[in-house]
Amino acid sequence: MLTNLSIKNYALIDLLEVSFYNGFTVITGETGAGKSILLGGLSLVLGKRADLSSLRDKGKKCIIEAEFQVARYGLRSFFDKNDLDYEPTTIVRREIYPSGKSRAFINDSPVTLDILTELGGRLIDVHSQHQTLRLAENEFQLKVIDALADNKNDLSEYRTLLAAYRETKKALQALVDFQKEAHKEHDYHSFLLQELESASLRDGMQEELEVQYEQLNNVETILEQLSRGYQLLNDEQVGILRLLTELKQRSGKLADYGQQYGSLNERVQSVFIEIDDIASEWETFRDTTEANPELLEETNAKLQLLHDLLRKHDVPDVSALLSTQKALSERVGVTENLETDVQEKEELLKTQQAALEKIAHTITHKRRKAIPLLQKQLKDNLAVLGMPSASFKIELSAAPEFKDTGKDDLTFLFSANKGTDFGPLKKVASGGELSRIMLTIKAVLARYEQLPTMMFDEIDTGVSGEISNKMGDIMQAMSSAMQVFSITHLPQVASKGDQHYKVYKEENGQTTHTKMRQLNQEERVVELAEMLGGKSLTDSALAHARELLT
């Protein structure tokens, strides 16, 4: 329910602040007074796109703020989904800047225009001449039937199943497509995998092979250096070990003559042990190193294979080759298991399809039962609105595939007069007839589902007299279950309101301002009298106005 509206710096409005109440609210005003401006400002806070022409003063920002009571709308899940603070009194604000940019807020949290639009659609249903085009949309027509059929829970379950079914169908198609391509490449990938596996790859392999190759390829040089080094270490006269042995003996004799000599002796002993160990290892290397042409050739072949694989797979090292091998192994394995995966997905799809068929059948059955009731209610209400011969032909047929709305194709035809052929609404109904049909449908919907605040923008255009009186009665009856607004130019409708607001223009010097205020009882009498007979008030017009208000 809309409780407060504030509009600042919008079109002809400097500042407008107004409170609204439950029940039936009527808004009147002369042509050009700014009723459309008021509705335009409200549309902005409901998510309509804005432009700079909205600003009255191009140097200041435009601010539109609306306060709603939302406790009975079941919107907590919407707030949770969009990470917004839920408040029973929710404030929606829109700011349009001189730069052309705009910002939107819900309870002071910034939101995107899409989120604002989604919430706006749940708070206020604005009916205008343009909205009558929705009457021709199957989705809207089915929504009406489903309200009478009490299909809300069934449709929720159906759409959950449909989402899972479509996901499975998409996954199955992807598997089948992949299977086709995979079979083409399976042999090639298997060959590549076998080639990599036969190379017995491991991390550090390339470095080890390169070191081994260098040693084998330079064995003569290595042996020459090992022999010469052995001589330097073990020569009987001037070998390093011979000289160190003598040095060790002398340092040992000095050790008893002071701590400094003892420390020096320890260092000499340490050097001797290290050099002795080096000599032993050096001798081992010399004795075990030998030429091995066969191993050299084998090592060279492994290196060449490794370089060929690196070049073939366009990777920098063995680690990357191992990753390639793993990926190929997985791909080959997946290809070999694809048949099983496809069969499992096909079985799942059949199960989901059976569940969908069952719930879709239930929805269709309930729709068929609701159609005669809808046709009768529409016919009865339209008869009250001056269309006694109006009738509908509503038929369901099986759709070839699952749709978001079920598995039905809908034919929704209309005839305004006896003896005339049925045809699509937008082709056979006039603008005035479409407005009355839409009002009738909204009235029917109001009996079966919780509708948001309803705002009718001159829905009574093209009607007068007793028909307008009946339209007012219908909107007044709807207001017992929801907040209803009617922007009207007919006194018969305006007289039905629980509250009456007037939109008017006020000139101040060289500027014109659009304003709005709530009328008291006497002001309503004058406003209705002017709507009946013009600015020149007559006693009969005033009497008629009072009669309408009783």
Side-chain angles (χ1 to χ4, degrees), residues 139-157:
E139 185 177 348
F140 179 78
Q141 295 164 355
L142 282 170
K143 178 182 178 182
V144 178
I145 295 172
D146 286 327
L148 273 71
D150 192 24
N151 269 335
K152 182 178 180 180
N153 292 335
D154 291 322
L155 279 168
S156 177
E157 181 183 351

Side-chain angles (χ1 to χ4, degrees), residues 469-528:
N469 194 50
K470 295 298 183 184
M471 293 183 80
D473 287 338
I474 290 175
M475 286 185 275
Q476 189 178 46
M478 290 175 65
S479 72
S480 64
M482 72 185 73
Q483 184 185 40
V484 177
F485 288 84
S486 178
I487 298 175
T488 181
H489 64 280
L490 295 179
Q492 293 87 348
V493 174
S495 68
K496 307 288 184 181
D498 298 311
Q499 301 90 34
H500 189 158
Y501 294 80
K502 180 176 181 178
V503 178
Y504 59 98
K505 283 183 179 178
E506 189 177 87
E507 293 185 358
N508 183 8
Q510 300 297 316
T511 60
T512 303
H513 306 274
T514 289
K515 295 183 176 295
M516 179 181 182
R517 62 186 177 88
Q518 186 176 1
L519 303 180
N520 60 33
Q521 188 68 11
E522 281 306 309
E523 289 171 332
R524 289 189 74 179
V525 171
V526 173
E527 176 71 5
L528 292 178

